[in-house]
């Protein structure tokens, strides 16, 4: 039997970083911060989230930085957007589907006595 599994990612939140100049081109209010969530999937059904990644993107000079490459001037906006970006419930649907037969087995064992 062939199992299709792996990891995928989806964007949770993208928001503009106000009152901050781009670290490369120095243009004001051109930087956007994005939060993505990676999840493990089995047959393209999301099983569980693996982690979040953070990116900044300047719409003027197209510079893209990952979380640890961002300058200190982005960190206030980054911590604020990290608090607002919640992992959605659909990324746990594989665990929820897996727990249903396990609950039925436990209930069957309890009532079989
Ligand atoms: Zn720029």
């Amino acid at each position: 039997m062939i199992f299709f599994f792996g990891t995928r990612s989806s964007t949770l939140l993208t928001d503009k970083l106000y009152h901050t100049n781009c670290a490369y081109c120095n243009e004001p209010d051109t930087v956007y911060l994005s939060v993505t969530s990676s999840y493990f999937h089995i047959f393209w059904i999301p099983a569980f989230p693996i982690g979040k990644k953070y990116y900044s993107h300047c719409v003027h000079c197209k510079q893209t930085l990952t979380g640890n490459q961002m300058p200190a001037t982005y960190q206030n906006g980054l911590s604020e957007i990290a608090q607002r970006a919640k992992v959605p419930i659909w990324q746990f649907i594989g665990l929820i589907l897996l727990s249903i037969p396990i609950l039925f087995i436990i209930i069957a064992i309890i009532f079989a006595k």
Side-chain angles (χ1 to χ4, degrees), residues 22-27 30 58-63:
C22 173
Y24 186 74
C25 68
N26 208 27
E27 285 290 317
T30 57
C58 176
V59 293
H60 185 256
C61 68
K62 313 294 184 203
Q63 184 193 43

Side-chain angles (χ1 to χ4, degrees), residues 37-40 46-52 87-93 95:
S37 175
S38 299
Y39 56 90
F40 183 79
F48 52 86
I50 297 170
K52 293 180 189 173
V87 175
I89 192 79
W90 62 262
Q91 290 190 1
F92 293 94
I93 199 75
L95 286 182

Side-chain angles (χ1 to χ4, degrees), residues 3-111:
F3 285 99
F4 292 99
F5 63 94
T7 60
R8 303 185 88 183
S9 64
S10 68
T11 302
L12 299 178
L13 188 63
T14 298
D15 205 358
K16 192 174 191 174
L17 190 59
Y18 291 100
H19 313 298
T20 303
N21 293 3
C22 173
Y24 186 74
C25 68
N26 208 27
E27 285 290 317
D29 296 338
T30 57
V31 177
Y32 284 78
L33 296 175
S34 294
V35 182
T36 62
S37 175
S38 299
Y39 56 90
F40 183 79
H41 71 85
I42 301 170
F43 292 106
W44 301 280
I45 299 171
F48 52 86
I50 297 170
K52 293 180 189 173
K53 289 182 180 171
Y54 305 95
Y55 300 94
S56 71
H57 179 76
C58 176
V59 293
H60 185 256
C61 68
K62 313 294 184 203
Q63 184 193 43
T64 301
L65 299 173
T66 58
N68 56 358
Q69 296 172 323
M70 288 184 211
T73 54
Y74 295 3
Q75 294 303 320
N76 281 342
L78 183 65
S79 62
E80 188 267 329
I81 199 170
Q83 288 178 346
R84 285 193 293 136
K86 305 289 183 202
V87 175
I89 192 79
W90 62 262
Q91 290 190 1
F92 293 94
I93 199 75
L95 286 182
I96 294 169
L97 291 174
L98 184 68
S99 67
I100 291 172
I102 292 171
L103 284 176
F104 274 112
I105 290 170
I106 291 170
I107 291 170
I109 290 171
I110 291 171
F111 287 104

